[in-house]
């Protein structure tokens, strides 16, 4: 049973979608995985996901309204087997918190699952238009399909 943490900056746009998508795929296969998400800044702690993320998830029959934004914590490196980040800036911020080589090895750029070794970023849709959220959804769906197939 895998335990996976999805991380972005605010934990209201990208990582809540990643959490919802991977949790849904694992549920569909009765895998019993633990999937959670967190942010590297505390600005939105306790808040629901962004309404545009909620809507896009809902359009794909995924409910993410049970999620609340939280900050990544040191104990996450023990709790989770893998920590997927959305972009290079998240990657550097999360690596900074890791204390051992084993902890650093758990941190992965999520789009390297669908586009190996390219270090592509999931673009931050926060300041853009609504269509940015569907693009982000499709990128994350593709990456999560690879994750499920690889680790199930
Ligand atoms: P996220 O998007 O990292 O995908 O959740 C953002 C949310 C909030 C902010 C930036 C990005 N912010 O600056 O408050």
């Amino acid at each position: 049973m895998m335990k996976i943490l999805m991380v972005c900056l605010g934990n209201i746009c990208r990582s809540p979608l990643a959490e919802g998508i991977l949790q849904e795929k694992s549920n569909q296969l009765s895998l019993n995985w633990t999937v959670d998400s967190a942010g590297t800044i505390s600005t939105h702690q306790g808040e629901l996901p962004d309404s545009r993320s909620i809507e896009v998830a809902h359009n794909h029959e995924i409910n993410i309204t049970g999620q609340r934004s939280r900050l990544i914590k040191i104990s996450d490196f023990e709790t989770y087997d893998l920590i997927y980040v959305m972009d290079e800036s998240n990657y550097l911020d999360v690596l900074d918190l890791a204390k051992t080589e084993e902890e650093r090895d758990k941190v992965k750029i999520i789009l390297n699952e669908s586009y190996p070794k390219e270090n592509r970023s999931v673009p931050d849709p926060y300041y853009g238009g609504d269509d940015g959220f569907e693009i982000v959804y499709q990128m994350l769906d593709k990456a999560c399909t690879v994750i499920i197939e690889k680790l199930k």
Side-chain angles (χ1 to χ4, degrees), residues 29-131:
L29 298 177
S30 305
L31 293 175
N32 234 348
W33 286 8
T34 297
V35 187
D36 195 9
S37 62
T40 59
I41 59 171
S42 59
T43 318
H44 298 279
Q45 280 221 79
E47 291 179 16
L48 278 159
D50 188 284
S51 58
R52 297 164 294 178
S53 284
I54 291 175
E55 188 182 350
V56 161
H58 179 79
N59 291 343
H60 294 276
E61 286 162 15
I62 296 175
N63 181 358
I64 60 169
T65 60
Q67 298 186 31
R68 296 295 180 274
S69 174
R70 75 165 175 91
L71 192 60
I72 187 171
K73 50 186 193 249
I74 298 298
S75 62
D76 287 329
F77 288 94
E78 279 177 38
T79 307
Y80 294 94
D81 302 305
L82 287 170
I83 299 175
Y84 282 111
V85 298
M86 302 296 130
D87 62 33
E88 211 131 359
S89 142
N90 306 150
Y91 185 67
L92 297 175
D93 289 342
V94 174
L95 274 192
D96 251 2
L97 302 171
K99 290 191 296 286
T100 63
E101 202 55 36
E102 191 191 349
E103 290 182 356
R104 279 188 282 278
D105 283 346
K106 290 183 176 186
V107 187
K108 315 276 184 199
I109 293 175
I110 193 165
L111 292 189
N112 280 346
E113 297 294 339
S114 35
Y115 302 95
K117 301 193 175 125
E118 294 188 18
N119 295 335
R120 289 196 196 191
S121 289
V122 180
D124 189 341
Y126 188 60
Y127 296 105
D130 286 0
D131 57 341

Side-chain angles (χ1 to χ4, degrees), residues 8-16 41 43-44 124-127:
C8 63
L9 183 65
N11 190 212
I12 54 168
C13 297
R14 293 166 292 175
S15 60
I41 59 171
T43 318
H44 298 279
D124 189 341
Y126 188 60
Y127 296 105

